[in-house]
Amino acid sequence: MKNQVLFISTSQGFLVNAMIKNIEDAGFSVVTASASSRHSLPSANEFPDIVIVYLEGFIMDCKEVLTFINEEIAIGTENLHVFLIGEPAEIQESLKFINKESVEYIFNRPVNVQDVIQRIEAANAVNSSTRALKKILVVDDDNIALRTMKNWLSKRYEVLMANSGVNAISLLSNTKVDLILLDYEMPVVSGLDVFNMLKHDSSLSDIPVMFLTAKDDRETVMNVLAAKPESYLLKSMKPQDLVMHVNEFFASRHK
């Protein structure tokens, strides 16, 4: 959400309140939440794009919140910017529950609030510039594959990620995308199951889907094509070939 910051802290003492006021004076709306309660956080679809976690005290109290951001929010939101503020020991302990890759910047306390505001403004500017890009949702149970696809495509597209079919459907209920790259073989809810759910939902059925598959044997390819997706892509493709295929797809829709 543009110009909105979620400020998560274990308490709201003088320093925290002063920092929040400075951020608001810089033109941002600040929503506060407790670092010790998962239930104080906004729902996934209402999460602001910019999140500050102010660490203070016993980090185990923050475990549930940090884990939620890492597993449920960061993996599915390309535009999310997470900042951690804390003493070195607190930061080190917190990284047991949230991947360092999910954190955009770490501030050691004591922190200059103007440095924080500069980072917030930069993150907000990045998000504003990407809103006009085509949105692609990549769905894969392999987090490494997700981030690899993101790296390949994010220079030209806004890339969202979901690490399960359930998370993909949840994300799509509140977010419009222009293309879905869907792993054909996933546990619990397969890519084919997700595809069928999409096609039976009138609000989602028009979203084009390309299957991703690691197998190129005749049986797998025939099964994939039988579902009648927009296309299918082999995970073994070279990055430039995969990106070119996606580029050509969008180019063809503008002819």
Side-chain angles (χ1 to χ4, degrees), residues 64-176:
E64 186 181 14
V65 166
L66 291 169
T67 301
F68 176 76
I69 294 173
N70 185 67
E71 295 182 353
E72 302 297 330
I73 303 298
I75 195 66
T77 313
E78 168 64 17
N79 284 337
L80 186 72
H81 304 265
V82 179
F83 304 116
L84 296 184
I85 300 174
E87 294 180 352
E90 293 169 338
I91 296 293
Q92 184 176 1
E93 187 68 17
S94 72
L95 293 177
K96 294 179 181 178
F97 310 113
I98 184 169
N99 294 332
K100 193 171 183 178
E101 293 77 12
S102 298
V103 179
E104 181 161 320
Y105 199 82
I106 293 173
F107 297 93
N108 288 323
R109 289 205 328 265
V111 62
N112 184 331
V113 68
Q114 293 305 315
D115 291 340
V116 177
I117 290 172
Q118 285 180 3
R119 290 284 175 176
I120 293 172
E121 289 174 338
N124 192 61
V126 167
N127 282 6
S128 296
S129 67
T130 60
R131 281 187 171 89
L133 299 179
K134 293 290 187 182
K135 287 186 180 181
I136 298 175
L137 172 61
V138 183
V139 187
D140 198 310
D141 62 298
D142 184 338
N143 287 345
I144 294 176
L146 279 177
R147 296 195 179 279
T148 298
M149 291 284 182
K150 170 184 172 293
N151 289 337
W152 291 354
L153 294 163
S154 59
K155 290 182 179 179
R156 185 161 181 170
Y157 304 101
E158 181 178 347
V159 182
L160 310 180
M161 299 179 290
N163 60 358
S164 72
V166 173
N167 286 343
I169 295 296
S170 176
L171 186 151
L172 289 167
S173 66
N174 296 286
T175 305
K176 183 179 179 180

Side-chain angles (χ1 to χ4, degrees), residues 4-13 15-24 29-35 40-42 47-48 50-56 65 69 83-85 109 111 113 116 120:
Q4 190 173 88
V5 176
L6 174 61
F7 196 106
I8 303 171
S9 60
T10 50
S11 63
Q12 279 191 259
L15 291 177
V16 168
N17 286 328
M19 184 174 291
I20 290 172
K21 185 177 186 307
N22 275 274
I23 294 171
E24 289 177 332
S29 172
V30 179
V31 178
T32 60
S34 171
S40 71
L41 300 178
F47 237 70
I50 301 170
V51 179
I52 297 174
V53 183
Y54 191 94
L55 302 167
E56 189 175 29
V65 166
I69 294 173
F83 304 116
L84 296 184
I85 300 174
R109 289 205 328 265
V111 62
V113 68
V116 177
I120 293 172

Side-chain angles (χ1 to χ4, degrees), residues 195-213:
F195 183 82
N196 288 331
M197 282 188 276
L198 294 173
K199 294 308 173 185
H200 286 87
D201 186 324
S202 58
S203 64
L204 304 175
S205 60
D206 289 339
I207 303 174
V209 176
M210 293 184 186
F211 276 124
L212 298 168
T213 177

